[in-house]
Amino acid sequence: MRILKFGGKSLGNGQGIKNVISIVQSKYKHEEAIALVVSARGDSTDWLGSMLERARKMKDYQKDFVAFKDYQCAPSLGWNYDGIFEQIASILERTKLLGCYNQATKDLLLAQGEILSALVVSRLLNDNGVPTQFVDSRHFFITDDLFGSANIYDELSRCLTKRYFEFFPQGVVPVVTGFLASTGSHVTTTLGRNGSNYSASLLAKYLGVKGVESYTDVDGIFTADPNVDTDAQLIPKLTFEEAEIIAKSGAGILHEKTIQPLKDGKIPLHILNSFNLNSTGTLIEARCLNKIIQDE
Ligand code: ASP
Ligand code: MG
């Protein structure tokens, strides 16, 4: 099995989501088995967070909320996500009335971005010849209650994940929510911003897959920020250790905890651009001949 992880930028409305559907269609035809892990689409997480802040300041957020709903529904017009929108509305209303929220409430609200994303992607793929099933990662990723950046209970999560997927129907592609987990008492938690990469590596390790492909909107990891430095060069290969240094330096492309589960399972991670499939991306694996980053 191989895990395909799609970031928010890759899943945006229009060309983004279209490319994702066609990438998955072609992988489905050629791979023995795949599982998807998805982030919230576009800027949904920031969007939800900013509506929550407006509500806390007792400001109006209705216009934003209407735009948010339109954005979520655009790729799959006619499908009904009312239950999720009602939950979002009720959190925002309560926050506006009280003028405050707690971190658990914020995690539950942000979680709706990934839930909507996995539902939309799963349904679109079903309609385009790829049988899928929506999978809520809160069933098997169990954490402490450090809301906003919860810590995984590794052994428990591994057992539950294996058990969950043991009876998963063959030939059906799981579309798993990134970023989300829950406490032992079923309270929603999140794994930290950009945490969907970490979700993908945890799933990869627990299921013992042969590789993870992580799709984003840039060609891979560069020697510097290509938007700022015109001399920035794409790094074709990195070792896990080198990637860890980059992740810990705060590069948004890699969540800090992403590498360890892959290192544990010796599972390569290939970072690719869903808008430019001609690029070879950055491959992160155990050994690497072109050592680009020297140990400090
Ligand atoms: N949607 C979450 C975020 O924006 C998680 C992710 O994108 O990986 O931080
Ligand atoms: Mg995101």
Side-chain angles (χ1 to χ4, degrees):
M1 179 183 262
R2 195 178 297 277
I3 308 264
L4 310 181
K5 183 260 166 179
F6 293 98
K9 299 277 182 328
S10 290
L11 291 163
N13 282 352
Q15 201 54 46
I17 190 119
K18 278 190 196 148
N19 289 358
V20 168
I21 301 301
S22 82
I23 291 168
V24 178
Q25 280 175 322
S26 101
K27 294 278 173 188
Y28 179 72
K29 265 191 215 148
H30 300 110
E31 285 278 335
E32 52 193 81
I34 50 172
L36 268 51
V37 173
V38 295
S39 296
R41 299 192 312 104
D43 292 325
S44 298
T45 310
D46 289 335
W47 209 339
L48 287 163
S50 84
M51 286 191 285
L52 187 64
E53 272 310 303
R54 288 188 69 80
R56 185 182 66 80
K57 292 179 189 152
M58 299 178 171
K59 288 189 180 160
D60 187 47
Y61 53 79
Q62 286 304 337
K63 237 170 99 183
D64 262 7
F65 190 31
V66 170
F68 177 85
K69 288 194 270 191
D70 287 348
Y71 183 89
Q72 303 301 329
C73 293
S76 51
L77 287 174
W79 287 333
N80 186 324
Y81 301 108
D82 284 356
I84 298 168
F85 295 142
E86 272 161 29
Q87 179 155 29
I88 296 173
S90 113
I91 294 173
L92 294 175
E93 274 160 30
R94 204 173 51 213
T95 303
K96 194 173 174 193
L97 279 173
L98 297 173
C100 65
Y101 61 81
N102 63 29
Q103 289 307 310
T105 303
K106 182 171 181 179
D107 274 8
L108 180 61
L109 180 75
L110 298 189
Q112 307 312 311
E114 267 69 15
I115 293 169
L116 282 162
S117 175
L119 283 171
V120 167
V121 171
S122 164
R123 287 173 160 190
L124 281 176
L125 285 166
N126 281 337
D127 277 4
N128 284 280
V130 181
T132 67
Q133 193 173 302
F134 166 83
V135 174
D136 187 332
S137 57
R138 291 175 296 182
H139 291 309
F140 44 79
F141 285 170
I142 310 299
T143 65
D144 63 11
D145 60 0
L146 191 68
F147 296 102
S149 189
N151 298 296
I152 279 279
Y153 291 139
D154 200 45
E155 200 41 41
L156 181 58
S157 302
R158 191 184 67 83
C159 288
L160 291 174
T161 305
K162 286 186 81 132
R163 196 189 298 164
Y164 185 93
F165 284 97
E166 206 175 342
F167 300 107
F168 204 82
Q170 272 211 340
V172 174
V173 176
V175 182
V176 184
T177 53
F179 187 49
L180 316 186
S182 70
T183 66
S185 43
H186 306 283
V187 180
T188 298
T189 55
T190 61
L191 301 174
R193 293 304 307 265
N194 295 313
S196 299
N197 270 317
Y198 180 40
S199 309
S201 355
L202 288 171
L203 192 65
K205 174 178 145 182
Y206 298 153
L207 298 181
V209 307
K210 61 182 177 194
V212 179
E213 290 181 3
S214 178
Y215 289 86
T216 178
D217 65 335
V218 289
D219 284 349
I221 297 179
F222 285 78
T223 49
D225 182 349
N227 296 318
V228 178
D229 186 343
T230 47
D231 290 335
Q233 281 178 18
L234 179 68
I235 306 175
K237 283 186 176 194
L238 286 169
T239 62
F240 287 131
E241 288 73 20
E242 289 168 335
E244 240 164 3
I245 296 171
I246 293 179
K248 286 188 177 143
S249 75
I253 199 162
L254 283 178
H255 177 286
E256 196 186 322
K257 296 179 185 165
T258 304
I259 301 299
Q260 190 60 49
L262 300 172
K263 214 166 149 185
D264 293 346
K266 298 190 176 55
I267 302 163
L269 166 65
H270 202 170
I271 297 179
L272 293 160
N273 185 349
S274 62
F275 296 92
N276 178 18
L277 294 176
N278 293 325
S279 166
T280 49
T282 298
L283 180 64
I284 302 169
E285 55 185 353
R287 257 190 315 264
C288 167
L289 297 176
N290 319 320
K291 197 167 163 64
I292 289 181
I293 296 187
Q294 300 298 328
D295 293 335
E296 287 172 294

